[in-house]
Amino acid sequence: MSYCRQEGKDQIIFATKEDLDQPSSALIQVEEEEEPGLILPNGDINWNCPCLGGMASGPCGVPFREAFSCFHYSEADPKGSDCYQQFRSMQDCMTSYPELYPSKDDDEEEADNENKLNNEETKTDSLESLTVANTDKKTEKESS
């Protein structure tokens, strides 16, 4: 026979072996906490959102936040057209830190160089395979 007793804020439950042999009838409801996105329910910007990729911090964090805030709260038509100066300031900051904020041209150039290197390695591997195959055929003919 099982029973419960209360000690202060705690509830102590004593169960028998028969009680424990039965499947549990307890329903556990877990409330899933939804991670806030870029815009919080109150309309503010969530600067901790991983979707910003750390842009809100670092050497150009302040200009980024100013430009992004201007765009978010802009009522101009088209949206953000009144934020030119803030975006220009952010761009100037980013160009002064090319190792942290590489330009799109730099990324494309790096990808092109990588592709060329891979193509050259593939050609070299193909030539080596052909050379080995031709050598094997010569060896077979000579031994015949």
Side-chain angles (χ1 to χ4, degrees):
M1 179 174 125
S2 61
Y3 69 95
C4 298
R5 84 172 181 229
Q6 193 81 24
E7 286 188 12
K9 65 176 179 53
D10 300 321
Q11 184 179 30
I12 301 172
I13 301 171
F14 293 93
T16 62
K17 183 173 177 8
E18 293 80 27
D19 291 332
L20 297 175
D21 286 339
Q22 307 240 344
S24 174
S25 61
L27 298 175
I28 300 173
Q29 294 180 351
V30 178
E31 293 181 28
E32 291 183 28
E33 290 184 28
E34 196 171 309
E35 290 287 321
L38 178 59
I39 308 301
L40 298 171
N42 66 359
D44 289 342
I45 299 168
N46 177 12
W47 296 115
N48 295 322
C49 181
C51 61
L52 293 175
M55 291 292 294
S57 59
C60 297
V62 172
F64 173 80
R65 288 191 304 270
E66 288 172 354
F68 197 87
S69 293
C70 181
F71 181 82
H72 176 65
Y73 295 111
S74 174
E75 293 182 3
D77 188 29
K79 185 174 181 91
S81 61
D82 54 341
C83 302
Y84 176 80
Q85 190 56 43
Q86 288 88 340
F87 277 97
R88 184 70 197 163
S89 174
M90 178 184 75
Q91 185 178 20
D92 290 344
C93 180
M94 290 177 157
T95 55
S96 62
Y97 294 95
E99 65 282 352
L100 294 176
Y101 308 104
S103 69
K104 185 176 179 183
D105 295 337
D106 291 345
D107 289 344
E108 289 174 358
E109 188 176 308
E110 191 174 305
D112 287 344
N113 289 340
E114 222 172 274
N115 286 338
K116 286 178 185 175
L117 182 62
N118 287 339
N119 287 340
E120 288 174 10
E121 288 175 0
T122 303
K123 287 178 186 175
T124 303
D125 290 345
S126 297
L127 287 173
E128 288 175 359
S129 296
L130 286 173
T131 305
V132 169
N134 287 337
T135 305
D136 289 345
K137 287 181 183 177
K138 285 180 184 177
T139 306
E140 285 177 18
K141 285 182 183 178
E142 290 173 0
S143 63
S144 297

